[in-house]
Amino acid sequence: MTKLVFTSLEEIPKIHAQLRAGFKTGKLRSIAYRKYQLLQLAYLIKDNKKQFEEALNADLGRPALEGHFLEINSSASEVKEAYCNVERWAKPEKPGFSLNFTVMRPVIYKEAKGVVLIISPFNYPLWLTVSPLAAAIAAGNATVLKPSESTPAVSSLLAELIPKYLDSDIVRVVNGSVAEATKLLELQWDHILYTGGPRVAKVVAAAANKFLTPVTLELGGKSPVIIDPQCDLEMAARRILWGKCVNAGQTCVAPDYVLVPRSFQDTFVDALKAAHKSFYPESAQPSKSDTFSRIVTPQAWKRIKGLLDNTEGVVVLGGESDEATKFVAPTVVRDIKAEDSLMSEEIFGPVLPIVPVEDIDEAIAFVNTRDHPLALYVFSNNAEVKAKGEGSSGI
């Protein structure tokens, strides 16, 4: 396992000051220079695809195909989009007509915020670092990247490559854990982007509040699925199972649990089993390291295993796990109640609880009594069911 070299606490304020000075030089006011940095970022990915593939496998057990599809290619696409559009994005705009302001002939000019902090998560350590970095460069900002300490191979590789490809006056990497993140949050930033869980988000928001720093928080949650018996069942089962299994379920918008009419639960379970069989034939079982990702850390594995061990539902698919390899098999658990262990928190793993309800109305009420999810998935071919999601009384 790669040993992550932490940035010294003494160095962090110096990095902040150096980036502040780099921003003040005004070099990023040039669109041409922003495009040059974006081009360099694209080459950073292109030239080191194999190294990123290996790093993703080391950190997350990520199969090569999945690594390229989910992160390497996606990151390159995000950078390309920024490169191709930065000139248009940066152009001044005239706002729509307003009787109050038209005499003043107002114009909106796009000004960079300054020095920004990006705290990226472990589940997509390349894509969710590169994508916001590309946006920050396109907007003319200097940036500090704080990658996750839970993915040491990717974080180390980013720390090695970024100084080789990008201008160190405007982009730097700070590696570390709680102490280093705390030191970063003691400093004044012009914007903070944090991707992760609500607990740390509260810490980030509180730190930003001291300086009235604008914050973007991209958080997870228990994203529900509602199944209407009048749906394309085969398609629904395949999409739900794929979303729950890709990256071993460690995706913020992964389906967390399914609400299905009680009379349709058996049929839905059978469809999931059929989808699983087509995804993972005997020659490509999830237990094989080249077909299925692994849980990121031993602590995360134990948390998921604990939720599964304490469920009162019935495991109808999967259930296998291995602590040594941080493996949790794609697992379906039926007959889940609202107070079950699997409903106590975001699962963030390949375990899918099925909650039986009487009908779609009860499913909607179930969702509405809980915290707002990051995503909601409804599978239905019925126009009336779809319409129930519209308006304040719907989903």
Side-chain angles (χ1 to χ4, degrees), residues 5 26 41 72 169-170 175 179 183 227 233 252 276 287 352-353 391:
V5 178
L41 183 57
I72 298 171
D169 286 342
I170 60 172
N175 272 319
K183 191 69 175 177
I227 294 292
L233 184 57
C252 58
H276 181 273
S287 56
L352 184 68

Side-chain angles (χ1 to χ4, degrees), residues 218-226 240 243-244 249 251-259 342-343 345-348 351-353 355 366-367 370-379 395:
E218 196 279 293
L219 311 179
K222 290 185 75 65
S223 298
V225 179
I226 296 177
I240 292 165
K244 196 60 171 172
T251 303
C252 58
V253 292
D256 192 272
Y257 64 96
V258 178
L259 296 159
L342 291 172
M343 298 301 293
E345 61 181 274
E346 184 180 8
I347 296 170
F348 225 65
V351 179
L352 184 68
V355 181
F366 189 98
V367 173
R370 283 156 175 77
D371 291 340
H372 285 290
L374 187 59
L376 168 72
Y377 305 97
V378 179
F379 291 89
I395 297 173

Side-chain angles (χ1 to χ4, degrees), residues 44 116 118 148 160 175 211 230 232-233 246 271 287 290 364:
L44 183 153
V116 302
I118 296 172
S148 174
E160 174 192 339
N175 272 319
F211 301 105
Q230 295 184 50
D232 184 332
L233 184 57
V246 69
S287 56
D290 61 345
I364 293 172

Side-chain angles (χ1 to χ4, degrees), residues 22-97:
F23 176 76
K24 288 181 178 179
T25 64
K27 63 175 72 177
L28 282 171
R29 295 187 68 85
S30 164
I31 302 302
Y33 194 69
R34 295 183 201 179
K35 293 189 71 172
Y36 170 65
Q37 290 298 299
L38 288 167
L39 188 62
Q40 287 295 101
L41 183 57
Y43 276 116
L44 183 153
I45 299 165
K46 179 180 180 294
D47 295 347
N48 300 281
K49 283 185 176 182
K50 187 63 178 178
Q51 286 177 267
F52 280 118
E53 177 189 313
E54 292 170 351
L56 289 165
N57 181 264
D59 286 334
L60 290 154
R62 188 78 64 74
L65 177 62
E66 198 171 89
H68 282 270
F69 175 70
L70 293 178
E71 296 213 57
I72 298 171
N73 295 345
S74 299
S75 297
S77 295
E78 296 273 2
V79 177
K80 181 184 176 184
E81 182 180 10
Y83 179 87
C84 293
N85 288 287
V86 61
E87 290 172 319
R88 178 172 59 86
W89 294 341
K91 283 183 177 179
E93 293 180 5
K94 291 185 178 181
F97 174 80

Side-chain angles (χ1 to χ4, degrees), residues 276 280-294 320-322 325 327-330:
H276 181 273
Y280 303 108
E282 287 299 320
S283 59
Q285 288 296 296
S287 56
K288 295 183 178 181
S289 61
D290 61 345
T291 62
F292 198 78
S293 292
R294 296 314 192 237
E320 303 86 8
S321 61
D322 179 60
T325 60
F327 169 69
V328 177

Side-chain angles (χ1 to χ4, degrees), residues 182-200:
T182 301
K183 191 69 175 177
L184 283 167
L185 292 173
E186 291 174 358
L187 302 170
Q188 184 170 1
W189 305 92
D190 298 304
H191 197 101
I192 299 174
L193 168 66
Y194 168 75
T195 305
R199 181 181 60 83
V200 176

